[in-house]
Amino acid sequence: MNILFMGPPGAGKGTQAERIVSEFNIPHISTGDAFRLAKSQGTPLGLEAQKYMDQGLYVPDDITIGIVRERLQQPDCEQGFLLDGFPRTTAQAEALDEIMKSLGRELNHVINLKVDRDLLLARLTGRRICKSCGSTYHVMFNPPQVDGVCDKCQGELYQRTDDNAEKVGTRLDEYVTKTAPLLEYYEAKGILRQVDGEKEIDAVSQEIQSLLRGKA
Ligand code: AP5
Ligand code: MG
Ligand code: ZN
């Protein structure tokens, strides 16, 4: 199953992806996570990506497309994959079509998580992430059992540098101008499915699973 998750910053793409990939046993491919990893390792890619991410801007298409092209050719993607946060521009969507064609594959589902703009800021500023295993929490909506400590691995929780009100504003603007138009692109292909991302985390997961299993 080849799946794509779309939605604005804070819609719950990463939270839902964690659950869906363990249910369907496919790799989770997040371009944001890939850039953050490269940044933490101080690689040339990471340093280049950092220039844009730290301002809340999109990383240029050629860099982003190159990463996904390479990743989708790895053997663990043969049984399917879940793309989170790619494509975000028309050029990226067209490149993905071309990559899929060259691999003889097709996208099966595009899930769009719909969340109102007002809620996104609260979600993003309260987000905390585990330094060791990457699990995502929220100080109010999904708190860990012990403040600042990951339930799963006891790792330390941190806040992303782009999760403040100023950067979130820029990120949302990028989404509205460059990514929202892509919904029509997938609607026209007949593979776009809308999910209410404002419900509780478990309810959203169930809705997505029903869609993926063809029961909705
Ligand atoms: P990326 O890391 O992908 O960030 P994003 O798109 O801004 O999305 P987020 O990860 O912030 O949100 P999410 O939807 O995953 O929400 P989450 O599940 O964590 O990209 C970062 C940057 O990398 C970009 O700004 C850009 O610079 C660059 N980049 C990446 N891909 C690129 C591309 N293709 N092209 C160009 N540049 C690219 O949830 C958020 C919070 O809400 C959490 O605290 C969670 O616990 C909580 N929450 C989740 N669901 C619920 C719920 N149902 N109810 C209550 N709380 C919830
Ligand atoms: Mg995410
Ligand atoms: Zn952890």
Side-chain angles (χ1 to χ4, degrees), residues 116-128:
D116 210 65
R117 196 177 172 118
D118 297 345
L119 238 191
L120 298 172
L121 181 65
R123 284 203 183 170
L124 291 169
T125 50
R127 172 166 56 189
R128 300 292 183 271

Side-chain angles (χ1 to χ4, degrees), residues 130 132-135 150 152-155:
C130 175
S132 312
C133 75
S135 293
C150 177
K152 291 179 193 154
C153 77
Q154 273 67 56

Side-chain angles (χ1 to χ4, degrees), residues 14 17 32 37 49 64 68-69 83 98 102 104 110 125 134 137 139 148 151-152 158 162 173 181 186 193-195 215:
L37 178 68
T64 311
V68 173
R69 187 188 304 278
L83 270 172
E98 177 255 311
S102 73
V110 177
T125 50
Y137 299 86
V139 290
D151 291 348
K152 291 179 193 154
Y158 77 100
D162 57 351
D173 290 345
Y186 290 114
R193 307 303 296 267
Q194 301 285 359
V195 169
K215 291 182 190 154

